[in-house]
């Protein structure tokens, strides 16, 4: 049993070495990635599958055959074997994911036609939106020419978040990315954005909406969401975000332009700005380069912008699941799961 346990640890250490090298090969912008190296390293890892599988069978047999005196060793062996079983269960998924990263095909950042809202998703979204903020617009917000809290369709929102996420992934890590919904109402878009981004804040002018959003997000335990009561025309922390989204916050065109100019002036170069419907206004203020319908990048133009877009188009869609997101130690898969451009496929 001792010998099998040692072999098990040594074999996994060997796979870890290979997967660390493979993660480095993948964490290069897709356009400059060495596909042959990715495939070669994956083939070396894949070749270890059969021996790890038979090793875990041998360990199980040895544990069953061991006598009571070996209880500590048996426990150690069983613990390591169970961890290995869970890692082996990820193998088919990695076998699909990794070769797809050798020479990724470009795919538009935003689909040509907006995907229709799935009827069940639309129903749930509508219900959540009403539960989060059942209030009428306050007189104060109406006087400031704010739009009421009318939600954008979730499929369109999700497609935009995906585009922003791919732009960030193409540049490197997204593990700490911060998202801001300017005019968040009850905060449901912030909640949805947590699928992609580590911290999702909402800024809301209407105090009644803001309070409702704060209560709703606290009520469902959305720890990565913070609803801030404030005015988009006075807010001076746009530079703290990697992705800034807004959907028809202000009805008065000059104020709307002022808000877009404020965001463009404060946003760090590379910040992704998502503005469905308001794209024309955003484009008119300058400082935001357009990469797709309603998707802009702050402080980036010309060739640099085109290169970013081309890199992002080669990043597959879907949120990334990192090693820390699993309820077990992913061991030799961890470097690959944490490699920045490794999107998790949709089920
Ligand atoms: C059309 S709703 C969009 C709701 C949500 N963001 C979505 O996409 O589903 C616009 C929201 O922006 C808020 N808003 C309007 N003017 C604002 C301002 N100056 N500062 C912050 N929020 C504002 C409104 O109160 C309203 O909740």
């Amino acid at each position: 049993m001792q010998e099998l346990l040692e072999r098990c640890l040594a074999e996994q250490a060997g796979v870890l070495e290979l997967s660390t090298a493979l993660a480095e090969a993948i964490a290069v912008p897709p356009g400059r990635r060495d596909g042959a190296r990715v495939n070669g390293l994956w083939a070396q890892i894949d070749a270890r599958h059969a021996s790890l599988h038979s090793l875990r069978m041998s360990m199980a047999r040895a544990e069953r055959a061991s006598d009571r005196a070996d209880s500590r060793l048996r426990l150690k062996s069983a613990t390591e074997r169970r961890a290995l079983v869970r890692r082996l269960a990820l193998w088919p998924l990695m076998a699909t994911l990794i070769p797809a990263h050798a020479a990724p095909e470009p795919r538009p950042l935003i689909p040509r036609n907006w995907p229709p809202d799935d009827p069940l998703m639309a129903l749930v979204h509508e219900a959540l939106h009403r539960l989060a903020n059942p209030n009428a617009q306050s007189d104060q917000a109406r006087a400031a020419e704010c739009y009421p809290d009318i939600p954008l369709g979730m499929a369109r929102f999700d497609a935009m978040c995906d585009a922003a996420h791919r732009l960030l992934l193409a540049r490197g890590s997204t593990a700490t990315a911060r998202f801001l919904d300017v005019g968040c109402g009850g905060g449901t878009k912030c909640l949805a954005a947590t699928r992609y981004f580590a911290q999702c804040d909402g800024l809301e002018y209407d105090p009644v909406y803001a309070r409702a959003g704060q209560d709703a997000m606290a009520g469902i335990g959305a720890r990565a969401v913070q609803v801030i009561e404030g005015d988009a025309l006075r807010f001076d922390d746009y530079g703290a975000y990697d992705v800034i989204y807004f959907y028809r916050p202000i009805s008065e065109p000059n104020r709307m332009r002022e808000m877009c100019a404020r965001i463009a002036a404060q946003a760090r170069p590379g910040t992704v700005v998502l503005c469905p419907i308001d794209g024309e206004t955003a484009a008119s203020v300058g400082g935001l380069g357009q990469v797709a319908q309603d998707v802009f990048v702050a402080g980036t133009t010309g060739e640099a912008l085109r290169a970013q877009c081309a890199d992002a188009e080669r990043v597959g869609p879907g949120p990334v699941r990192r090693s820390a997101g699993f309820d077990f130690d992913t061991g030799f898969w961890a470097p690959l799961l944490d490699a920045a451009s490794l999107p998790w496929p949709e089920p």
Side-chain angles (χ1 to χ4, degrees), residues 146-148 150-152 181 183 189 204-205 231-232 245 247-249:
C146 300
Y147 277 113
I150 300 164
L152 178 74
D181 179 357
K189 290 299 191 305
E204 177 51 54
Y205 181 94
D231 183 353
Y245 157 79
Y247 168 55
R248 308 193 101 178

Side-chain angles (χ1 to χ4, degrees), residues 157-241:
F157 177 74
D158 195 59
M160 281 191 303
C161 283
D162 194 62
H165 185 241
R166 289 166 71 199
L167 278 159
L168 299 186
L169 276 173
R171 275 185 233 147
S173 176
T174 58
T176 57
R178 296 186 67 191
F179 165 96
L180 177 71
D181 179 357
V182 184
C184 67
T188 52
K189 290 299 191 305
C190 300
L191 179 70
T194 59
R195 190 162 175 249
Y196 297 92
F197 311 112
Q199 173 67 37
C200 300
D201 295 346
L203 179 66
E204 177 51 54
Y205 181 94
D206 190 320
V208 180
Y209 289 176
R211 169 54 63 88
Q214 286 160 355
D215 290 348
M217 294 304 123
I220 54 176
R223 278 195 295 278
V225 175
Q226 191 196 5
V227 174
I228 306 160
E229 183 188 332
D231 183 353
L233 296 171
R234 289 165 184 266
F235 192 66
D236 55 15
D237 210 14
Y238 291 115
Y241 293 92

Side-chain angles (χ1 to χ4, degrees), residues 7 53 62 119 121 148 152 175 189 209 252 269 334:
R7 259 183 58 206
H53 182 72
M121 157 91 95
L152 178 74
K189 290 299 191 305
Y209 289 176
E252 204 283 311

Side-chain angles (χ1 to χ4, degrees), residues 289-305:
Q290 188 158 14
V291 284
Q293 189 190 336
D294 307 329
V295 183
F296 295 79
V297 176
T300 318
T301 51
E303 195 40 52
L305 188 65

